[in-house]
Amino acid sequence: MTATIRDVARRAGVSVATVSRLVNGTGRVREKTAERIRDAISVLGFRPNVVGRSLKTAHTMALGVVIPSMSNPIFADTVAGINEAARSLGYTLMFTSTDYDAAEEERAVSALLGYRVDGLILTVADPEHSTILDALDRDRVPYVLVHNQPSPRRRPTVAVDNVAAGRAVADALLALGHARVGMISGRFSASDRAEARHRGFVQRLAQLGAPPPAVREVSFLEQDMESVLAPLYTAGGEAPTALFCSNDLLAIAVIGALSRLRFQVPHDVSVIGFDGIAVGTHLHPTLATIVQPAREMGRAAAVKLTSRLAGREEPAVTILPHVLRLGESAGQAARRATDADNNLHGAQRRTPS
Amino acid sequence: MTATIRDVARRAGVSVATVSRLVNGTGRVREKTAERIRDAISVLGFRPNVVGRSLKTAHTMALGVVIPSMSNPIFADTVAGINEAARSLGYTLMFTSTDYDAAEEERAVSALLGYRVDGLILTVADPEHSTILDALDRDRVPYVLVHNQPSPRRRPTVAVDNVAAGRAVADALLALGHARVGMISGRFSASDRAEARHRGFVQRLAQLGAPPPAVREVSFLEQDMESVLAPLYTAGGEAPTALFCSNDLLAIAVIGALSRLRFQVPHDVSVIGFDGIAVGTHLHPTLATIVQPAREMGRAAAVKLTSRLAGREEPAVTILPHVLRLGESAGQAARRATDADNNLHGAQRRTPS
DNA sequence: AGCTTTCACGTAAACGTTTACATTTTTATG
DNA sequence: CATAAAAATGTAAACGTTTACGTGAAAGCT
């Protein structure tokens, strides 16, 4: 069917070795023969079979990518960055998204390993207790984590400092005068970074003597945010005036739910997200958030991985800077004074059915 | 390093053929030997090398995916759908995004072909005049287009009827009383679907006796939408009261730019997008749009492709239904009457610097 | 001229599978 | 129990490359 190196060799009247040398630029070949070979290649439409090559060379020039979800722009952007860097380094991507399913994580990695990708870039649910990662370490499969929270084990990682960012959110909210705050987070078991953000948040709150936040863990695919929020806001005057959401998608859903519950953002409750996805700036109110340099993180991950593949020494963990973007969704806490005063806003609220 | 089928065979005291048969479930093997082999496999951590297998079997169980951009949720969702279907069919994805660069399209396909993917799923700039597609046809490489506008050549495609959708937008806008409309579109040369949407739009406008729309082609990555829009709105009373944008991302940018130009959407100008990306419903005003079933389209494309690979006959083109979602960004045209009347709103507008 | 290098190229053995075909073992049959 | 049929397994050749090694020719040197 499609031409092989043998066909080319025959037509050019040389041996396959010479063709291989020309194609790969390894070893010299006389200009005259080179021309004959090039001719043969173009008339036969020869395209080197990478799988044959890979079998022999024991590397595939393919990188495996495993992320939780394609539908979250933060990951899409990360992949875009990986793609960009990988391409320019001559690598191709093999890709899977797991839809936040831990079992699927394992299947995906296993499949990729079957293809003998040269390395993996992944965002896993819980790197601390990951049998997958343990297996990769054992088998000496090169990988780098992206977005996962770096831990004492110092697995190769590109991330932001989620804990510090969580603290920053606490600072910001307190500075805006919020006394009672809450957090709506994706399941910690499905996201170590959500857990890290929470940890920083709670820690700083405690440090500054604020009461601990109400925390609600939800599925990353939560459909019915109203049912999650309603209970928080039916209890007496203790409802949080600001909500930290572990990612922007959640924050957007929360803002929608709040509005259906007849709360105004930020007047009644402030909301701050995490990620800094592009659409956040187009929302109304614009979304307050911690922005991560997603595309850059992807690039950095690809570069780190390929550097390791090339045997270059690389720092295990790269922390990229995050920045707090104070959008309109986070505002001053409602005029605080007495508890009674808080109830003045009660009229605007409605106990959900 | 990692165990081969030979190692397994040796340890189990059988031949490689038997191991292969067991692993692939082809041919029978006595339960007793099967057990020995399974043991050997698990202690050696044997994982069949797909590249060796691919070389022999001449198929890779890998599908190539080439799309313009990862950062547009419509494509991200499509890829999610492809991923989902491919996975359940036992295929793995090799992935590239081109960032709307036609040259990159070619490189990407070429790379993928080098890996001998079993087939390709792609969204190209211009399927009608695509040397890439011609080459694929010539070399009998199975592929299916997704999102591209089906043409008389009936290349395998999964799409919505962009022309009909364009007409639907014209109908909707006219029904809302808009007399002068415009279109902000990604470059036709970079997107046949934008061109198709435009075609339907213009066609229906003409059919109904409305004046032809002002059309502005912009880059899909346009940063400065204000400079694009400003000229449209400095000319006398001829400015469009409604803008059809060839995709939602553009529509969002347009709404932002309009607001910076001190126009209110939809009061001063209505905006309607295309794609139906999820965030549209969270915007304020919510985004009027044509919604495409992106994830489903991805799934359908993967299914169509793999069916063809399996030799099953499949209709060449699959048209999935789109639906018009009339969000808040499209409203009644400003009270029309005399031309003079239109100028009443002039006070709210400001000629940009 | 004789010698050593260097250059250009060819030969053939891998790489890890699958799979026709051959061979052995087991089972069924009379 | 002999034998035929069926079942289980083995042998070895491919698949398309790369690459160590070998060889002949040309070039440089004394």
Side-chain angles (χ1 to χ4, degrees):
Chain A
M1 188 64 73
T2 98
T4 81
I5 198 175
R6 221 159 240 113
D7 302 324
V8 174
R10 188 166 331 127
R11 181 170 240 276
V14 299
S15 78
V16 294
T18 306
V19 178
S20 176
R21 277 186 286 253
L22 178 70
V23 168
N24 298 302
T26 153
R28 9 184 104 262
V29 19
R30 204 197 311 269
E31 180 52 27
K32 219 156 143 183
T33 26
E35 226 153 76
R36 288 212 314 283
I37 297 178
R38 276 192 284 261
D39 276 2
I41 287 180
S42 87
V43 344
L44 294 177
F46 170 68
R47 193 195 312 275
N49 183 327
V50 177
V51 2
R53 171 182 300 168
S54 297
L55 185 56
K56 179 62 192 179
T57 62
H59 55 253
T60 52
M61 296 302 278
L63 264 25
V65 176
V66 180
I67 54 158
S69 163
M70 194 78 279
S71 303
N72 188 336
I74 191 72
F75 295 121
D77 286 344
T78 303
V79 171
I82 296 174
N83 179 67
E84 179 189 326
R87 176 206 301 170
S88 79
L89 292 163
Y91 285 87
T92 297
L93 261 33
M94 303 203 73
F95 172 85
T96 328
S97 77
T98 63
D99 289 314
Y100 290 102
D101 176 347
E104 190 48 38
E105 254 175 32
E106 191 137 7
R107 286 212 334 162
V109 169
S110 181
L112 262 13
L113 256 25
Y115 281 95
R116 296 300 191 268
V117 292
D118 291 340
L120 291 164
I121 298 178
L122 48 187
T123 301
V124 301
D126 179 5
E128 281 308 277
H129 312 92
S130 168
T131 60
I132 302 178
L133 261 28
D134 291 343
L136 294 180
D137 285 334
R138 173 166 34 75
D139 297 346
R140 300 227 151 17
V141 179
Y143 68 89
V144 0
L145 300 173
V146 59
H147 289 296
N148 282 118
Q149 180 65 11
S151 77
R153 305 187 51 172
R154 297 191 69 74
R155 288 179 148 137
T157 307
V158 173
V160 298
D161 187 336
N162 291 291
V163 181
R167 283 194 294 257
V169 170
D171 285 337
L173 259 21
L174 261 29
L176 285 169
H178 294 278
R180 296 181 316 280
V181 301
M183 179 165 182
I184 309 296
S185 172
R187 295 248 134 70
F188 295 160
S189 63
S191 169
D192 64 324
R193 48 249 177 249
E195 190 278 330
R197 290 160 198 174
H198 170 257
R199 183 150 32 92
F201 187 58
V202 168
Q203 170 193 312
R204 177 56 53 95
L205 251 22
Q207 244 172 40
L208 301 183
V215 177
R216 293 294 177 276
E217 281 183 63
V218 302
S219 159
F220 279 107
L221 310 162
E222 183 62 54
Q223 290 303 307
D224 184 11
M225 198 60 83
E226 285 175 61
S227 311
V228 175
L229 296 180
L232 269 183
Y233 286 92
T234 48
E238 295 304 318
T241 61
L243 257 18
F244 173 30
C245 301
S246 76
N247 76 31
D248 283 352
L249 251 30
L250 249 26
I252 291 172
V254 162
I255 290 175
L258 283 171
S259 124
R260 280 187 299 277
L261 293 171
R262 296 282 182 277
F263 289 91
Q264 278 197 297
V265 176
H267 183 276
D268 300 318
V269 13
S270 285
V271 173
I272 182 166
F274 203 112
D275 283 346
I277 64 181
V279 292
T281 63
H282 296 293
L283 299 177
H284 184 89
T286 59
L287 186 59
T289 190
I290 298 280
V291 2
Q292 305 193 65
R295 192 167 178 122
E296 179 55 30
M297 291 169 76
R299 271 194 295 257
V303 167
K304 186 190 289 282
L305 179 57
T306 53
S307 292
R308 300 191 145 231
L309 292 179
R312 261 166 277 151
E313 276 305 317
E314 279 274 323
V317 352
T318 301
I319 299 295
L320 261 30
H322 60 267
V323 358
L324 175 71
R325 178 159 69 206
L326 230 26
E328 298 160 352
S329 67
Q332 290 285 137
R335 215 123 343 276
R336 41 146 72 229
T338 66
D339 273 24
D341 192 48
N342 273 303
N343 286 333
L344 289 180
H345 296 291
Q348 300 186 20
R349 297 179 193 164
R350 199 183 61 187
T351 303
S353 54
Chain B
M1 189 62 76
T2 98
T4 82
I5 198 176
R6 221 159 241 115
D7 301 325
V8 174
R10 187 166 332 126
R11 181 170 240 274
V14 300
S15 77
V16 294
T18 306
V19 178
S20 177
R21 278 186 286 253
L22 178 69
V23 167
N24 299 301
T26 152
R28 11 182 102 264
V29 17
R30 205 197 310 268
E31 179 53 27
K32 219 156 143 185
T33 28
E35 226 152 78
R36 288 212 315 281
I37 297 179
R38 277 192 283 263
D39 275 3
I41 287 181
S42 87
V43 344
L44 294 177
F46 169 68
R47 192 194 312 273
N49 183 327
V50 177
V51 1
R53 169 182 301 168
S54 297
L55 185 56
K56 179 62 191 177
T57 63
H59 56 253
T60 51
M61 296 303 278
L63 265 25
V65 176
V66 180
I67 55 159
S69 163
M70 193 80 277
S71 303
N72 188 337
I74 191 74
F75 295 121
D77 286 344
T78 302
V79 172
I82 295 174
N83 179 68
E84 179 188 326
R87 175 206 303 171
S88 79
L89 291 163
Y91 285 86
T92 297
L93 262 34
M94 302 204 73
F95 172 84
T96 328
S97 76
T98 63
D99 289 314
Y100 291 101
D101 177 345
E104 189 50 36
E105 255 175 32
E106 190 138 7
R107 287 211 335 161
V109 169
S110 181
L112 262 14
L113 255 25
Y115 280 96
R116 297 299 190 268
V117 292
D118 291 340
L120 291 164
I121 297 178
L122 49 186
T123 301
V124 300
D126 179 5
E128 279 312 276
H129 311 92
S130 168
T131 60
I132 302 177
L133 261 27
D134 292 341
L136 294 181
D137 285 334
R138 172 165 36 74
D139 298 348
R140 300 224 151 19
V141 179
Y143 67 91
V144 359
L145 300 173
V146 60
H147 289 296
N148 282 118
Q149 180 65 11
S151 78
R153 305 186 52 171
R154 298 191 68 73
R155 287 180 150 136
T157 306
V158 173
V160 298
D161 187 336
N162 291 291
V163 181
R167 283 193 295 257
V169 171
D171 285 337
L173 259 20
L174 260 30
L176 285 170
H178 293 278
R180 297 181 313 281
V181 301
M183 179 165 181
I184 308 297
S185 173
R187 295 248 134 70
F188 296 160
S189 63
S191 170
D192 64 324
R193 48 250 177 247
E195 190 278 329
R197 290 160 198 174
H198 171 257
R199 182 148 33 92
F201 188 57
V202 168
Q203 171 193 311
R204 176 56 54 94
L205 251 21
Q207 244 171 40
L208 300 183
V215 177
R216 292 294 178 278
E217 281 183 64
V218 303
S219 157
F220 280 107
L221 311 162
E222 182 61 54
Q223 289 303 306
D224 183 11
M225 199 58 85
E226 285 175 59
S227 311
V228 175
L229 296 179
L232 269 183
Y233 287 91
T234 49
E238 296 305 318
T241 61
L243 258 17
F244 173 30
C245 301
S246 76
N247 76 30
D248 284 352
L249 250 30
L250 249 26
I252 291 172
V254 162
I255 291 175
L258 283 171
S259 126
R260 282 186 299 276
L261 292 172
R262 297 282 182 274
F263 289 91
Q264 279 197 294
V265 176
H267 183 275
D268 299 319
V269 11
S270 285
V271 172
I272 181 165
F274 202 113
D275 282 347
I277 62 181
V279 292
T281 62
H282 296 294
L283 300 177
H284 184 86
T286 60
L287 187 58
T289 191
I290 298 278
V291 2
Q292 305 193 64
R295 194 169 178 121
E296 180 53 32
M297 291 170 77
R299 272 194 294 257
V303 167
K304 186 190 288 283
L305 178 58
T306 53
S307 293
R308 300 190 144 231
L309 293 179
R312 261 167 277 152
E313 276 306 317
E314 278 274 324
V317 352
T318 301
I319 300 295
L320 261 29
H322 60 266
V323 358
L324 174 71
R325 178 159 71 206
L326 231 24
E328 298 159 354
S329 67
Q332 291 284 136
R335 214 116 352 269
R336 40 147 72 231
T338 67
D339 274 25
D341 193 50
N342 272 304
N343 287 334
L344 289 179
H345 296 293
Q348 300 186 19
R349 297 178 192 163
R350 200 183 60 185
T351 304
S353 55

